């Protein structure tokens, strides 16, 4: 729960109180998924893995995250990984003599699967820029 609060800016998200467990108002599906993400954050996870752990379909999981956490399961996973990487960076003590690099921490918490990576920049649909042939240029006149 502390990690969730840290990754959501210190505020609780979703309904407050009156939930099915008397704790924070999140349904069991979301609690199971969040617990799975917290426990398995260093692994390559897909939304299908998270949905299976929560015992629901991918679509149900996505809708539950959007409704109760105002995010997607994969965005939540990214936030959890960033929070872990941030904690590792803060815990690194140069005076201890143990060399810890940013690259090593980033590698530990980064996913090698495209599903866990940040979205790439949008590809250009215009294609490569080429000069029109003299025939094509003449046709445009």
């Amino acid at each position: 729960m502390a990690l969730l609060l840290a990754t959501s800016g210190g505020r609780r998200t979703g309904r407050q109180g009156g939930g099915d467990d008397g704790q924070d108002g999140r349904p069991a599906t979301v609690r199971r998924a969040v617990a799975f993400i917290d426990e398995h954050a260093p692994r390559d996870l897909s939304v299908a893995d998270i949905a299976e752990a929560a015992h629901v379909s991918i679509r149900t999981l996505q809708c539950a995250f959007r409704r109760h956490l105002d995010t997607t399961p994969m965005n939540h996973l990214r936030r959890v990984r960033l929070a872990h990487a941030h904690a590792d960076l803060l815990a690194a003590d140069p005076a201890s003599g143990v060399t810890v690099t940013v690259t090593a921490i980033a590698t530990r918490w980064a996913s090698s699967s495209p599903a866990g990576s940040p979205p790439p920049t949008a590809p250009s649909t215009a294609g490569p820029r080429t000069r029109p042939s003299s025939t094509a240029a003449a046709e445009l006149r």
Side-chain angles (χ1 to χ4, degrees), residues 5 11 17-18 24 27 31-32 40 44 52 57-59 67 81 84 87 92 95 110 118 120 124 127-128 131:
L5 289 175
R11 61 177 170 74
D24 63 5
R31 287 193 320 274
R32 282 192 301 266
H40 297 93
D44 282 338
E52 183 178 334
S57 70
I58 292 171
R59 182 70 181 140
R67 179 175 184 193
R81 286 178 174 158
H84 281 293
S124 171
R131 296 186 68 188

Side-chain angles (χ1 to χ4, degrees), residues 8-24:
S8 64
R11 61 177 170 74
R12 289 182 184 256
T13 56
R15 280 190 342 245
Q16 299 297 311
D20 58 357
D21 66 347
Q23 291 179 2
D24 63 5

Side-chain angles (χ1 to χ4, degrees), residues 51-126:
E52 183 178 334
H55 312 295
V56 294
S57 70
I58 292 171
R59 182 70 181 140
T60 299
L61 179 71
Q62 290 170 329
C63 288
F65 264 70
R66 182 60 65 197
R67 179 175 184 193
H68 297 282
L69 300 179
D70 196 28
T71 190
T72 66
M74 297 311 290
N75 279 338
H76 182 77
L77 174 60
R78 280 186 203 97
R79 282 192 222 134
V80 167
R81 286 178 174 158
L82 282 171
H84 281 293
H86 185 247
D88 285 356
L89 287 168
L90 291 175
D93 182 11
S96 70
V98 177
T99 303
V100 178
T101 65
V102 171
T103 302
I105 291 172
T107 301
R108 176 177 179 211
W109 291 109
S111 170
S112 62
S113 74
S117 303
T121 57
S124 171
T125 57

